[in-house]
Amino acid sequence: NAIRHKYNVHGKLLPTLIISPLITLENWKNELLRFSKIPAANIHVLKGTGAKKLSTFRVETAKNPSQIFIVNYDALSNDELNEALRKWMPQVLIVDESHHVKNPTAKRTKKIMKLADTAMYRYILSGTPILNSPMDIFTQMYILDLGKRFGTKFHFFKLKYFWDVNVG
């Protein structure tokens, strides 16, 4: 409903990237088809090899840049695909099971944070945003507000909000 509202406000389908665990990719497509009037031709699950994902992405964005692409987290490890996604500049970014991006030093997390920098609308979904420590929330909040609440540097976030009991 949230993205349907944004599409209605803009009067068109916005370039949308959904990052989700592999097992839920097709479910995302099915739910979009079930609860919206978006044609199936505008919703793409990028699957297969990295080269196949990149090829599908290029072919479909050449036809029309305002599409919905659904990828799994591991797809972002393909540097060519990741760069193509960044240049495409999705206007809507949805990160499903966002606890997968809790580590601010992980390559995957850094790539998703860069994608978030270009998106006009950003959403995270998770039933368990904090798995181990309240520090897990930093990158998830960054994706939502680009650092407005906790800043853009994890180190400063940690110094401001946490005390290391082992210091001194």
Side-chain angles (χ1 to χ4, degrees):
N1 279 335
I3 61 172
R4 184 171 52 191
H5 172 71
K6 296 300 180 191
Y7 298 158
N8 286 334
V9 166
H10 289 272
K12 64 179 181 176
L13 181 66
L14 298 172
T16 301
L17 178 62
I18 300 170
I19 304 168
S20 176
L22 182 62
I23 197 164
T24 63
L25 299 180
E26 289 295 333
N27 188 54
W28 267 100
K29 181 175 182 174
N30 294 338
E31 294 294 309
L32 287 166
L33 291 171
R34 182 175 173 201
F35 294 108
S36 74
K37 295 177 183 172
I38 300 168
N42 292 94
I43 304 170
H44 310 281
V45 175
L46 297 180
K47 54 188 172 183
T49 65
K52 182 164 176 21
K53 291 173 188 171
L54 182 60
S55 174
T56 301
F57 176 77
R58 286 184 173 154
V59 166
E60 296 303 331
T61 54
K63 291 179 193 173
N64 177 4
S66 292
Q67 305 271 358
I68 298 173
F69 290 98
I70 307 165
V71 300
N72 66 320
Y73 285 98
D74 291 337
L76 299 177
S77 63
N78 179 318
D79 290 333
E80 283 185 85
L81 177 60
N82 187 61
E83 184 62 23
L85 290 168
R86 265 189 350 93
K87 286 181 180 177
W88 174 58
M89 296 188 353
Q91 296 295 296
V92 178
L93 175 67
I94 300 170
V95 181
D96 190 10
E97 299 296 340
S98 64
H99 59 272
H100 288 290
V101 293
K102 67 180 181 172
N103 182 353
T105 61
K107 289 180 184 178
R108 167 174 58 194
T109 301
K110 290 177 181 179
K111 289 177 179 184
I112 292 173
M113 289 170 76
K114 283 186 180 181
L115 286 166
D117 289 339
T118 65
M120 187 183 323
Y121 304 108
R122 297 166 302 277
Y123 302 93
I124 62 171
L125 305 166
S126 181
T128 52
I130 299 173
L131 291 175
N132 300 318
S133 156
M135 287 186 222
D136 293 351
I137 203 70
F138 174 77
T139 52
Q140 296 173 78
M141 287 302 298
Y142 179 90
I143 290 167
L144 286 177
D145 70 6
L146 303 179
K148 289 182 179 125
R149 179 169 312 275
F150 294 131
T152 59
K153 304 290 183 203
F154 178 70
H155 176 73
F156 295 125
F157 165 75
K158 204 163 88 170
L159 286 173
K160 182 174 181 177
Y161 295 103
F162 298 91
W163 171 257
D164 186 347
V165 295
N166 298 317
V167 172

